[in-house]
């Protein structure tokens, strides 16, 4: 449900007055700060203050914007995709729904005045930041009426479609009960919003396992032993909880692309589950020395100021997933009606042949798609170092080329002297994604082909 400025006063601050703002606006000619906005309440007039148990006395940070802000210059509006409040996996020191973390926030671009906010996750305990840029488009309903809209893809695989001027949802959103936390001092939100347009299974049925060998099967079983899973929004626990599709799952940094002629949105979707375990403070130092979780290499975080540290690891054994795929897909969305038009696995695990089935389940995409005026969708996949062109109507691969390194970026298109080009960077990364490099590659679009 969106909260508008009619029920809450603006929370932007003028330069120098905000104690810890998360977003700033500057005068492009002078560099002077014009306004600042903090999604976390630092004063009694903050529009989300009623959703924080300690109000402006809350001692937390983050909820900042680390994706890309979208702007509607005609309406003097900017749209902020905010992140989770800190720490990520324990909220006992920040009880309440925590608006306007994990929200699409609309501000007046010229003044920073709060217009409305729509929270996609309440009291985030899963690191479900809004990592994708809000997509601005014109929505047409069944009666043919159009209105300005904003679509927000999320790590849950939910896509929220909102009225750009009011924040009202343009598709049905159901409030569903979700699992409670069993951690002392924690109170998970009792319900979460489930929008009509979803790309990830959300129920509590056991997720189908997959293995490549007996050793892999045994390693995955050890990883999952005793782990709690009751569907999406299963809270972190002392035993360890499975977070699906995971904090790197759903739609991530690559964001969405939109073909205004065909009225289709495109998004890359990951299914990379994570196991998260809370560790009591007195046990955390020893656990940190080991840097493992259930035998797997793990990331450990202090979560300072709380009773619990945290360990998390992806549900992979020997770098191979433990659950059936597809692990990454490209999806086409009818944003007007809120429907998935098609979805196809994309990418491959590049270092081993997994056969005709699992070999076509994809493997973790960081970048996103771009679409041309002619309805061709370009997407780069990092682990097989490939750039592909897809038919926007069907998802069929029209053309592909192998890149000199892994591409974690979204392709860019431009036109010069009447000719269209697609550019992508291929740099690999230090911790994965195949060969490293420092390449920027341009391809000229020709009829039926793309030439380097």
């Amino acid at each position: 449900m969106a909260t508008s400025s009619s029920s809450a006063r603006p929370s932007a601050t003028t330069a120098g007055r905000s104690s810890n703002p998360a977003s700033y606006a500057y005068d492009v000619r002078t560099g002077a700060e014009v306004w600042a906005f903090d999604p976390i309440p630092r004063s009694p007039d903050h529009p989300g203050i009623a959703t924080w148990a300690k109000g402006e006395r809350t001692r937390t940070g983050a909820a900042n914007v680390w994706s890309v802000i979208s702007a509607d210059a005609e309406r003097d509006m900017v749209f902020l995709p905010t992140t989770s409040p800190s720490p990520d996996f324990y909220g006992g020191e920040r009880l309440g729904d925590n608006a306007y973390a994990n929200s699409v926030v609309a501000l007046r671009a010229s003044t920073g005045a709060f217009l409305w906010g729509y929270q996609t996750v309440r009291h985030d305990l899963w690191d479900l930041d809004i990592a994708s840029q809000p997509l601005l488009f014109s929505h047409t309903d069944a009666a043919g009426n159009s209105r300005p809209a904003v679509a927000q893809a999320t790590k849950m695989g939910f896509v929220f479609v909102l009225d750009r001027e009011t924040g009202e949802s343009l598709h049905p959103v159901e409030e569903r009960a979700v699992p409670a936390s069993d951690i002392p001092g924690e109170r998970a939100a009792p319900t979460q919003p489930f929008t009509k347009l979803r790309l990830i299974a959300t129920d509590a049925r056991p997720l189908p396992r997959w293995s490549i060998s007996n050793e892999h099967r045994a390693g995955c079983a050890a990883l999952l032993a005793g782990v709690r899973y009751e569907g999406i929004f299963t809270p972190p626990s002392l035993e360890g909880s499975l977070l699906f599709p995971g904090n790197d799952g759903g739609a991530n940094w690559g964001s969405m692309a939109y073909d205004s002629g065909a009225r289709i949105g495109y998004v890359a979707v990951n299914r990379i589950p994570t196991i998260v375990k809370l560790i009591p403070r007195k046990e955390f130092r020893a656990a940190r020395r080991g840097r493992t979780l259930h035998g797997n290499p793990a990331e450990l975080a202090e979560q300072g100021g709380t009773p619990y540290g945290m360990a998390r690891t992806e549900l992979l054994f020997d770098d191979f997933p433990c659950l059936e795929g597809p692990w990454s897909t490209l999806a086409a969305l009818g944003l007007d009606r809120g429907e998935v038009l098609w979805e196809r696995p994309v990418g491959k695990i590049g270092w081993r042949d997994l056969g005709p089935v699992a070999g076509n389940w994809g493997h973790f995409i960081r970048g996103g798609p771009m679409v041309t005026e002619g309805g061709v969708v370009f997407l780069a996949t990092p682990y097989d170092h490939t750039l592909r062109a897809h038919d926007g109507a069907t998802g069929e691969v029209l053309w592909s080329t192998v890149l000199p390194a892994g591409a974690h970026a979204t392709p860019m298109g431009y036109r010069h002297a009447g000719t269209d080009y697609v550019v992508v960077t291929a740099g690999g990364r230090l911790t994965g994604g195949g060969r490293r490099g420092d390449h920027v590659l341009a391809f000229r679009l020709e009829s039926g082909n793309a030439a380097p």
Side-chain angles (χ1 to χ4, degrees):
M1 179 178 179
T3 302
S4 68
S5 57
S6 61
S7 58
R9 289 190 287 171
S11 62
T13 61
T14 55
R17 293 187 184 177
S18 179
S19 60
N20 186 31
S23 298
Y24 298 85
Y26 297 92
D27 187 300
V28 296
R29 294 177 178 85
T30 68
E33 184 182 320
V34 179
W35 54 258
F37 174 80
D38 194 336
I40 298 171
R42 310 295 180 188
S43 62
D45 64 348
H46 189 279
I49 194 167
T51 69
W52 298 76
K54 295 182 180 180
E56 70 268 30
R57 295 179 291 107
T58 298
R59 296 186 62 189
T60 190
N64 54 298
V65 174
W66 62 270
S67 186
V68 180
I69 294 171
S70 294
D72 180 341
E74 179 183 348
R75 292 173 177 81
D76 189 22
M77 299 175 73
V78 290
F79 301 87
L80 281 56
T82 65
T83 63
S84 56
S86 62
D88 290 334
F89 298 102
Y90 177 75
E93 304 301 323
R94 51 173 175 84
L95 296 175
D97 283 351
N98 303 150
Y100 284 96
N102 302 88
S103 300
V104 183
V105 177
L107 304 178
R108 183 67 64 204
S110 56
T111 66
F114 176 88
L115 301 175
W116 57 261
Y118 191 99
Q119 193 171 35
T120 61
V121 178
R122 301 192 185 100
H123 191 66
D124 186 2
L125 302 174
W126 308 273
D127 192 20
L128 294 175
D129 308 307
I130 296 184
S132 299
Q133 181 182 14
L135 171 72
L136 306 185
F137 75 107
S138 177
H139 177 274
T140 301
D141 63 21
N145 301 310
S146 296
R147 66 170 95 182
V150 54
Q152 183 62 67
T154 68
K155 288 183 178 181
M156 302 87 73
F158 298 0
V159 180
F160 294 85
V161 178
L162 312 172
D163 184 295
R164 204 183 307 174
E165 295 180 326
T166 67
E168 170 195 2
S169 178
L170 300 180
H171 297 155
V173 176
E174 178 186 355
E175 286 292 326
R176 290 190 188 177
V178 293
S181 174
D182 58 6
I183 296 295
E186 180 63 272
R187 290 200 298 271
T191 65
Q192 294 286 354
F194 285 66
T195 188
K196 175 185 178 183
L197 187 48
R198 302 193 298 271
L199 291 154
I200 301 289
T202 58
D203 58 28
R205 289 180 297 177
L207 297 168
R209 299 190 190 185
W210 173 83
S211 62
I212 194 172
S213 66
N214 290 336
E215 180 185 7
H216 180 257
R217 183 182 298 109
C220 290
L223 266 174
L224 288 165
V227 167
R228 178 183 179 186
Y229 180 68
E230 300 169 38
I232 194 170
F233 300 118
T234 300
S237 62
L238 297 177
E239 298 79 16
S241 294
L242 179 65
L243 312 186
F244 181 81
N247 58 284
D248 274 333
N252 216 286
W253 307 322
S255 305
M256 298 178 66
Y258 186 69
D259 184 338
S260 58
R263 307 197 60 75
I264 299 175
Y266 300 94
V267 64
V269 183
N270 292 304
R271 296 162 177 83
I272 308 291
T274 310
I275 297 174
V276 171
K277 181 177 181 177
L278 295 180
I279 304 171
R281 182 64 54 208
K282 63 182 180 181
E283 302 171 16
F284 182 72
R285 182 173 294 179
R288 193 169 199 171
R289 285 197 294 268
R291 302 201 70 80
T292 62
L293 177 59
H294 294 192
N296 236 26
E299 174 191 1
L300 282 89
E302 185 88 20
Q303 299 198 134
T306 77
Y308 303 97
M310 176 279 296
R312 69 177 174 184
T313 186
E314 291 178 341
L315 187 55
L316 306 171
F317 182 77
D318 197 23
D319 287 333
F320 291 102
C322 293
L323 299 182
E324 282 187 2
W327 302 311
S328 62
T329 61
L330 174 64
L333 311 177
L335 296 177
D336 289 335
R337 298 180 61 180
E339 57 189 358
V340 179
L341 302 177
W342 54 258
E343 187 173 11
R344 286 181 176 262
V346 284
K348 293 178 181 290
I349 288 179
W351 59 91
R352 181 167 175 177
D353 183 5
L354 301 182
V357 178
N360 291 299
W361 279 344
H363 189 60
F364 194 37
I365 304 168
R366 290 192 180 272
M370 65 148 284
V371 61
T372 69
E373 289 181 346
V376 178
V377 181
F378 286 86
L379 180 67
T381 50
Y383 290 88
D384 59 353
H385 314 147
T386 301
L387 174 66
R388 294 176 178 84
H390 300 261
D391 185 322
T394 66
E396 176 189 356
V397 177
L398 303 173
W399 169 88
S400 66
T401 189
V402 176
L403 303 171
H408 297 267
T410 299
M412 181 189 78
Y414 69 93
R415 180 171 293 163
H416 174 68
T419 300
D420 292 326
Y421 297 85
V422 171
V423 177
V424 66
T425 58
R429 62 192 291 253
L430 294 178
T431 58
R435 295 187 299 270
R436 302 178 202 168
D438 57 357
H439 308 277
V440 180
L441 300 105
F443 299 88
R444 183 177 63 252
L445 301 189
E446 299 176 348
S447 179
N449 203 347

